[in-house]
Each structure stands twice: as structure tokens, then as C-alpha cells.
Amino acid sequence: MSKKPNVILILTDDQGWADVNCYGSKDLHTPNMDKLAHEGVRFTQFYAAASVCSPSRASMLTGMNPHAAGLPGNASSTKGETGMPTDRFTLAEMMKQAGYATGHVGKWHLGYTPETMPNGQGFDYSYGHMGGCIDNYSHFFYWHGPNRHDLWENGKEIWADGKYFPDLMATQAEAFIDQHSMEPFFLYYAINLPHYPLQPDEKWRAYYKDLDSPRKEYAAFVSTIDERIGKLLKKLDALGLRENTVIIFQSDHGYSKEERTFGGGGSAGPFRGAKFSLFEGGIRVPAIISWKGHLPENVSRNQMALNIDWFPTIAELCGIATPSNLEGKSLVPILKNNDIPSKHQTFIWQNNGSWAVRKNDWKLIGDPWDSSDKGRLDPEKDKLFLTNMAMDSTEMTNLSAKYPEKVAELLAEYTHWPYSKLEQ
């Protein structure tokens, strides 16, 4: 068995901040996600660096904001289209250089050419779909088509007609762990659930039959995820690897209210916003890290942290020299000591026409969009929307008129950001 810790990075797709019991859900069955929190550290102010799929993933795998990572918007789901630039140094490449076996299972959505698919970005092994979403039985791209099959193993198209993709993912993830149980491994387990199409296990449909739609369809898909995570944990236990494996769990961004997901089903709890939005519900996500016997257990951390922080955190936990150009900061000091302040004073998001600056507890959104429809926005009065997370994290009241000096301060932060769309 390897003395270096193994690392499993579990990423779910379109899962809301409150859609785990340990984050406040009262109607979901998520014992395995909750077990990770019970055996680890749960973050309450953890952010994705983007409110849509590809840029969030690019930022996590490079430790940089999506613009610096070279993918500020979604990658194409069309074969032959490029994605995240290959000159970006990825987490997988770092782990591979450090002697780790590297594996990707699940969704990619970071490029659809040999160079930008997983095997070209540092992964020894890859199994899954390259586009944004697939039907979980036919494995065809869910949007345009119809003849756009999307299931690949190490860059070669494979066929598994009629087989349930969550089960295929679970099988491949467990096989990767089996194969590399005697050496250090890094597994990026990018689960494509609860992203549409909502095709949960029948047992979970029955379990949630008394909930209203679309919550019941969404809830059943979340429990489908949880059950597969449970299988993964049992595999680690059976191989005696649990205490030598760092497990990280998070969602890629907020829940979706798109038509294809029946107009909703997820929850951000008290927060405004959903997928695509830069209000909290679009970018604040559930995030947990567990390493039994090495990190604190059953504790929470309220410090602001970001998905770009996993890169240097993993490096430090594994004793690997951290690349110098990362925007992310290691969370290890915070994990071990709750008195350590956040490593980020300021962070900036940008999605299409909207942008947001978080500086300490203050947050300013320019041209805000509330995809959750929790409240109305005045096109003029709310063009700059100021809130304070310590005062009111629901973001239902615009404080810009009351604190104009804070508006000016945060606006200046955005204006001088290298990727700002405002004139300097």
C-alpha cells in the first residue's frame, strides 16, 4: 500500500447548496454525503469560481479563475471542438508528475479534441462523456442530434447501449481503485447528476413519490448519487484504503431551473439565485473534505473558500511542491485550525454580462440576474447590487444607496481586474 495518500475528488453537477441533509435539507436521503461531513470538514461559505459547468471545472483543475484557465464559458459539446488550452498545468498533470496513477470517470466538458480530452490533460485513464450532458441509457448527447453518441474510454468511442450510466461510472471508479490499490492514485469522479435529464433509479422514484414535482424527480436523482458514493466508500473500506485516502466532495455550481429539469427541483436554502446567476445560490456550493485520522472530523468552517483552493490543498496534503502561479490557496491551515482567517480577501466572478466582487463580507454584483426568480430587480436601481454577507446573506435587499463608498471600492476592484469588461 502506498504511503502517499490517495485522492478522490467527487464533483456533482447542478446540485444546490442546501441539497444535502448536513446543509439543511429536511426531505432528502443523503446518508453517505452526510457521512463524509461527519468524518470530515464541511464548508459553509464555499464557492465555485463560475456559475456554469465548464469554467467551474476548468478553474478547479487549474487552481486559477476561469479566465486565466482559458475557458470563461462552456466548452462545445461537439466532437472536434477544442476547449481548455493544453498549456494550462492541470491538477492531474501535477499528480502524474508526483508518481500518482490518474483517472477520470464521468463528465468532462472541457474540450472534445484528443489534445483537450482527459488523456491529453494529464489523465492516464478516462471513462465517460465529453459533452455537457447525455441520456443515461443511450449515452447520446441530450440536446441537439439525434446522432451524437458520447461515451468514451481513453479517447476511443465505446458502446454500452441501455446500460445505466451512473452504474457504469460506479463500476469504472471501483475498478480504477482496485487496479491501483497498491500505488498512490488520484481519481477525478465527475458525476453527471443531478444535471438533466432526471433519470433516477426506480427505487428512489418510489421513495419520493409523495413529494411534489419537480422536487421528487430531483430528490430521487440526488439519492441516486448518494448511493453510488456509498458504494465507493465501501470499496475503500474493503481494501483498507479509507484512512489513506483524501476524499473531497463538492457541486460544480448551483441547481438548475431550466426547462429540461422541469423548471427546478433543487434548493439553495436561504440564498437567492441558481445556476447561471452570480447571486449566492448560483455560486455557493456544498463542499466537504475527509481524511480519517489526519483531518478534523464532524466540524464546519465558515471561512470563504473556493474550488481553486483544492489544487494547492491537495498538493500540501500529498507533500507535493505547489506551482507558483496558482490563484488558489491551500486550505490546510484552516482545516486544522478554525481561528485561521480566510485566505481570500477578494475574488471576482464574471458570467456573460454579469460580474461580481466579493471583498471580505461585502459583495457587489453588476448587472445582476436572479435565475431563481426569488425577487424582482429594477433595471436601473439594481444595476449595481450591494450586499454584506455578515448582515444579510440572502441578498434580497440592495444596500448600494446606503453604502456608496463600498460600491465605489468594489467597483474599482472589478474595473482594475485584468479580465474586466468595463473600461478602465
Side-chain angles (χ1 to χ4, degrees):
M1 183 186 298
S2 165
K3 291 184 179 180
K4 294 181 180 179
N6 308 305
V7 179
I8 300 177
L9 177 53
I10 302 171
L11 186 70
T12 59
D13 196 357
D14 290 13
Q15 182 175 1
W17 181 86
D19 289 323
V20 190
N21 284 353
C22 62
Y23 279 87
S25 170
K26 304 297 183 185
D27 58 354
L28 295 179
H29 185 71
T30 58
N32 295 297
M33 298 179 204
D34 296 332
K35 182 180 181 182
L36 285 177
H38 183 75
E39 296 177 345
V41 181
R42 177 178 66 91
F43 284 89
T44 61
Q45 287 198 82
F46 195 95
Y47 292 92
S51 58
V52 289
C53 294
S54 297
S56 174
R57 293 157 197 270
S59 61
M60 185 180 68
L61 290 177
T62 62
M64 300 186 288
N65 76 73
H67 305 268
L71 199 61
N74 271 343
S76 173
S77 294
T78 300
K79 183 180 177 183
E81 295 289 331
T82 189
M84 186 172 71
T86 56
D87 62 356
R88 302 312 195 264
F89 187 65
T90 69
L91 178 54
E93 288 169 330
M94 179 186 75
M95 300 301 277
K96 189 172 182 175
Q97 288 183 6
Y100 278 71
T102 56
H104 154 263
V105 171
K107 174 174 172 174
W108 182 241
H109 205 193
L110 289 169
Y112 214 150
T113 62
E115 299 80 14
T116 59
M117 288 163 71
N119 298 110
Q121 297 279 28
F123 289 97
D124 300 316
Y125 177 78
S126 171
Y127 181 96
H129 64 94
M130 299 299 106
C133 51
I134 56 169
D135 178 90
N136 288 287
Y137 294 95
S138 71
H139 319 127
F140 276 66
F141 182 54
Y142 186 64
W143 279 47
H144 310 295
N147 299 312
R148 294 177 64 179
H149 178 258
D150 187 3
L151 185 60
W152 303 80
E153 185 172 29
N154 291 331
K156 180 182 178 181
E157 187 175 18
I158 59 172
W159 299 82
D161 297 355
K163 293 183 179 178
Y164 191 43
F165 189 63
D167 287 338
L168 293 174
M169 281 191 293
T171 297
Q172 296 304 321
E174 292 170 38
F176 179 83
I177 293 170
D178 261 329
Q179 184 178 353
H180 300 288
S181 61
M182 301 304 291
E183 61 181 325
F185 64 80
F186 166 61
L187 175 61
Y188 172 41
Y189 192 11
I191 299 172
N192 65 317
L193 282 57
H195 193 291
Y196 54 79
L198 303 188
Q199 298 169 307
D201 273 334
E202 184 57 38
K203 63 181 277 188
W204 294 116
R205 287 188 194 275
Y207 183 89
Y208 292 109
K209 63 181 174 54
D210 294 329
L211 287 184
D212 292 336
S213 183
R215 181 65 172 173
K216 65 181 179 182
E217 291 88 359
Y218 177 91
F221 226 16
V222 171
S223 288
T224 299
I225 300 168
D226 187 83
E227 188 172 21
R228 271 70 189 176
I229 291 175
K231 289 186 64 180
L232 192 78
L233 297 179
K234 287 180 180 177
K235 168 60 71 173
L236 293 173
D237 288 339
L239 294 173
L241 296 177
R242 184 69 177 87
E243 293 187 0
N244 197 44
T245 303
V246 179
I247 302 175
I248 295 168
F249 166 88
Q250 73 154 92
S251 173
D252 63 343
H253 49 66
Y255 71 97
S256 170
K257 290 201 69 177
E258 294 164 88
E259 180 182 8
R260 290 173 174 83
T261 193
F262 304 104
S267 173
F271 304 123
R272 184 178 194 173
K275 180 181 179 179
F276 305 117
S277 174
L278 297 181
F279 283 110
E280 293 291 286
I283 52 177
R284 191 186 291 215
V285 295
I288 299 164
I289 181 169
S290 173
W291 186 13
K292 290 185 68 176
H294 300 270
L295 293 176
E297 297 190 16
N298 198 28
V299 297
S300 62
R301 295 289 184 261
N302 194 47
Q303 293 91 331
M304 176 184 173
L306 293 130
N307 65 344
I308 58 174
D309 297 333
W310 291 135
F311 196 134
T313 301
I314 290 169
E316 183 170 348
L317 291 175
C318 296
I320 303 169
T322 305
S324 60
N325 67 330
L326 299 186
E327 193 174 346
K329 308 295 183 184
S330 175
L331 297 172
V332 172
I334 289 172
L335 294 173
K336 295 184 175 181
N337 184 352
N338 192 34
D339 295 329
I340 302 294
S342 173
K343 297 295 182 177
H344 295 277
Q345 183 185 35
T346 305
F347 192 77
I348 298 173
W349 293 261
Q350 188 167 263
N351 181 40
N352 294 323
S354 294
W355 53 268
V357 178
R358 170 86 190 255
K359 185 173 184 180
N360 298 321
D361 287 330
W362 291 95
K363 182 180 172 187
L364 181 69
I365 307 178
D367 295 312
W369 176 36
D370 180 6
S371 52
S372 65
D373 297 319
K374 279 195 172 183
R376 297 187 63 179
L377 290 167
D378 185 292
E380 296 302 322
K381 293 180 180 177
D382 293 328
K383 189 173 179 63
L384 292 173
F385 199 101
L386 181 71
T387 51
N388 183 287
M389 292 296 113
M391 295 180 189
D392 179 13
S393 59
T394 66
E395 296 178 295
M396 294 305 294
T397 303
N398 187 356
L399 302 177
S400 60
K402 190 174 181 181
Y403 299 97
E405 73 286 355
K406 280 295 173 184
V407 173
E409 179 185 341
L410 272 63
L411 181 58
E413 292 277 0
Y414 176 66
T415 303
H416 292 99
W417 187 51
Y419 310 99
S420 171
K421 291 186 176 181
L422 298 181
E423 292 185 8
Q424 296 188 22

